[in-house]
Amino acid sequence: GAGVSQSPSNKVTEKGKDVELRCDPISGHTALYWYRQSLGQGLEFLIYFQGNSAPDKSGLPSDRFSAERTGGSVSTLTIQRTQQEDSAVYLCASSLGQGGGQGTQYFGPGTRLTVL
Amino acid sequence: SQQGEEDPQALSIQEGENATMNCSYKTSINNLQWYRQNSGRGLVHLILIRSNEREKHSGRLRVTLDTSKKSSSLLITASRAADTASYFCAIETGANNLFFGTGTRLTVIP
């Protein structure tokens, strides 16, 4: 597709269950980012992938959060043993990844996660 | 914190008026970007201004950057009801990450 896509658009889960969120970046974009946005708040950086380099995981809030990017394209964000405070919109973005002014990020529509 | 901070948090204006939003930050930047978000979902990139630029225009948008004051402003001229959204500034540092502020919620009243 022409833009970043994410699935599912909405996910409701029970506390303690694991969830997987998927992101398909724009073709050719080497950089991929995950953010979390709680209600009425700004974006919280979670993790950043750039090409084949080791990801920048500095934003992951706990070891329950992990992400993979297979084949340099699709990424999956996994949250294990979900907690109610994990409820948020999870946004994925991709960019050409060169930084220095080429770092414009293109966002997907997000996945709204609700943990009951 | 490296993130940008927007001011005001909320702004309500009449259609046709101009809207000005400000962003302040604390670190050195490569560039500063403004994004728009409707209904709490995906963000749309509006404009990017590099650290060596002082002003940039795009349609009804005008962005200024003052690196000595570590601040930027976004001006939307002749506002429309469809401009109602949240507006975020984001700073790009050498880390290739964007650090977002908490946003300004703009309401344009028809």
Side-chain angles (χ1 to χ4, degrees):
Chain A
V4 178
S5 61
Q6 292 184 246
S7 61
S9 57
N10 287 283
K11 176 71 176 179
V12 179
T13 190
E14 294 180 348
K15 178 182 175 181
K17 296 287 181 69
D18 298 351
V19 295
E20 284 189 353
L21 312 179
R22 177 187 168 106
C23 173
D24 285 85
I26 293 173
S27 177
H29 280 191
T30 60
L32 187 147
Y33 309 78
W34 283 99
Y35 296 90
R36 177 170 72 175
Q37 185 178 30
S38 300
L39 185 64
Q41 300 297 312
L43 275 69
E44 175 188 4
F45 165 74
L46 297 178
I47 189 169
Y48 160 59
F49 295 90
Q50 171 58 57
N52 295 321
S53 303
D56 177 354
K57 303 180 181 180
S58 61
L60 295 179
S62 77
D63 59 8
R64 295 186 296 105
F65 287 73
S66 62
E68 291 183 341
R69 189 178 185 194
T70 55
S73 181
V74 172
S75 177
T76 302
L77 176 69
T78 301
I79 309 173
Q80 296 178 309
R81 305 181 302 282
T82 52
Q83 303 294 313
Q84 288 183 333
E85 60 263 29
D86 299 335
S87 296
V89 175
Y90 289 81
L91 291 160
C92 173
S94 70
S95 78
L96 288 170
Q98 298 300 314
Q102 297 188 50
T104 298
Q105 296 187 13
Y106 298 84
F107 283 80
T111 293
R112 184 178 300 279
L113 174 66
T114 302
V115 182
L116 301 176
Chain B
S1 170
Q2 291 180 290
Q3 69 184 30
E5 297 182 5
E6 291 91 342
D7 168 61
Q9 291 185 346
L11 179 62
S12 184
I13 60 174
Q14 295 289 328
E15 197 167 32
E17 294 180 339
N18 296 341
T20 300
M21 289 160 269
N22 302 297
C23 171
S24 60
Y25 57 93
K26 296 180 180 177
T27 65
S28 296
I29 63 172
N30 288 338
N31 62 70
L32 185 146
Q33 304 179 31
W34 284 90
Y35 287 80
R36 165 193 167 124
Q37 183 179 41
N38 289 77
S39 304
R41 300 309 287 258
L43 279 73
V44 175
H45 178 260
L46 296 176
I47 196 165
L48 179 153
I49 186 165
R50 302 176 194 275
S51 60
N52 62 353
E53 297 177 313
R54 292 298 167 257
E55 187 171 315
K56 205 162 184 180
H57 297 254
S58 176
R60 293 184 296 113
L61 304 181
R62 173 178 168 249
V63 169
T64 63
L65 178 64
D66 187 335
T67 53
S68 66
K69 296 181 179 178
K70 289 187 166 57
S71 67
S72 173
S73 67
L74 171 67
L75 169 68
I76 304 175
T77 60
S79 63
R80 305 167 182 168
D83 294 330
T84 294
S86 291
Y87 292 83
F88 294 87
C89 71
I91 59 172
E92 182 185 308
T93 67
N96 287 330
N97 290 337
L98 285 181
F99 296 92
F100 286 82
T102 55
T104 292
R105 176 68 189 173
L106 173 65
T107 302
V108 180
I109 303 167

